[in-house]
Every structure is written in structure tokens, then in C-alpha cells.
């Protein structure tokens, strides 16, 4: 409804996801100080209080949220200043979150640009940029219970591709 109060904090790098099943809940994930914060909404207009997701590092950045329609769980992925990519999930619509688990490492912080996708059938893929400027991925066939070792999609290059007039 118009005029609903938004209590989501002043977080940087926000991301939003939706459970478009009958519940139609929305999840906003964002940086909240040095932590990852999430808030949920039943209508995309009025938001609940921020819940802090456990992050093992001293600082966390670039959260990405996702929803698994098979389990009904929400997932949040982020980069940490300890160079790991972490994820956590919520089985209760964002009220509580699992302990953070490592997806992979060597992430450039705070600009890992983690991206995630789910196939709707328990498989997840996370892609991010490493300290050595490579694009890598890790995948989980079982809703994050186990992850493959990160593998290179695109290796780093020392070549600078320039287009246009270079004279």
C-alpha cells in the first residue's frame, strides 16, 4: 500500500529476490556496516526489521540473494575480507540464518562481484572474480551442502584489448 514505511537500513550494494510462489515474499540483502543484512517483505513495499547474517570475516561486501523454489529456502552469498565467498540460508522466510559456509576463496575484496543462479532443482552456481583477476565458479548439486572446488572460467590476461583510435 502507498506510504508504507521502509525500515531497510542504509546498506550498500543491495540485491533483491522474490519467492513468486503463493507466499510472494521479497528478500532484500545489503551491506549493513561490516555485516550482511537482510529484510523481508510480504508486498515489496513494507519491510521488516533488518536481520544480520553471520559473517566470519571482519567485513563483508556485495551480497547476492536467491530463492530455491524446491526447498523454499532463501540463500545469501557474499565476499569477505578474508578473501572467501560465503553463503548462508534461511528455512524460515529470513527470520534466522544458518552459519556461514565457505563456497570458495581467492576473492578480490570488496569487488568480487559474486553472482549466483539456481536451477529450481537444488543446484546452485556461484561465479566471482579472484585476486588474480580470473573469473571462477563453484557449484553445488545439493542446495549448498557441498561445493565443488573453484574452477577457472576465464583466466587472467595481461593483454589489454583497446578498440577505436589509439593514435
Amino acid at each position: 500500500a502507498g506510504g508504507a514505511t521502509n525500515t531497510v537500513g542504509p546498506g550498500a550494494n543491495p540485491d533483491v529476490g522474490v519467492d513468486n510462489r503463493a507466499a510472494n515474499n521479497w528478500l532484500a540483502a545489503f551491506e549493513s556496516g561490516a555485516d550482511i543484512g537482510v529484510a523481508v517483505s510480504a508486498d515489496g513495499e513494507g519491510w521488516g526489521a533488518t536481520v544480520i547474517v553471520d559473517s566470519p570475516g571482519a567485513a563483508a561486501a556485495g551480497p547476492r540473494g536467491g530463492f530455491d523454489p524446491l526447498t523454499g529456502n532463501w540463500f545469501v552469498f557474499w565476499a569477505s575480507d578474508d578473501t572467501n565467498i560465503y553463503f548462508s540460508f534461511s528455512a524460515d522466510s529470513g527470520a534466522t540464518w544458518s552459519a556461514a559456509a565457505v563456497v570458495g576463496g581467492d576473492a578480490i575484496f570488496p569487488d568480487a562481484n559474486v553472482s549466483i543462479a539456481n536451477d529450481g532443482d537444488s543446484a546452485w552456481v556461484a561465479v566471482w572474480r579472484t585476486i588474480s583477476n580470473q573469473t571462477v565458479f563453484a557449484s553445488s548439486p545439493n542446495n549448498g551442502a557441498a561445493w565443488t572446488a573453484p574452477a577457472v572460467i576465464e583466466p587472467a590476461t595481461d593483454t589489454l584489448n583497446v578498440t577505436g583510435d589509439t593514435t
Side-chain angles (χ1 to χ4, degrees), residues 112-140:
N113 298 321
V114 64
S115 183
I116 61 167
N118 171 272
D119 72 351
D121 190 24
S122 74
W124 285 85
V125 172
V127 177
W128 67 94
R129 196 174 76 181
T130 68
I131 293 168
S132 54
N133 204 29
Q134 296 177 315
T135 302
V136 299
F137 79 97
S139 62
S140 171

Side-chain angles (χ1 to χ4, degrees), residues 14-15 30-31 42 44 54 77 79-80 82 85-86 92-93 97 110 112 114 123 130 133 142 147 150 159 164:
D15 191 37
F30 45 90
E31 295 170 15
D54 174 47
F77 294 72
S80 176
D82 66 5
I85 299 295
Y86 288 96
D92 57 10
S93 299
W97 291 83
V114 64
T130 68
N133 204 29
N142 52 15
W147 289 87
T159 304

Side-chain angles (χ1 to χ4, degrees), residues 41-80:
S41 172
D43 59 10
E45 294 182 20
W47 293 85
T50 297
V51 174
I52 299 300
V53 177
D54 174 47
S55 183
R64 295 295 169 255
F67 176 75
D68 183 353
L70 183 68
T71 64
N73 291 344
W74 285 102
F75 284 79
V76 175
F77 294 72
W78 68 92
S80 176

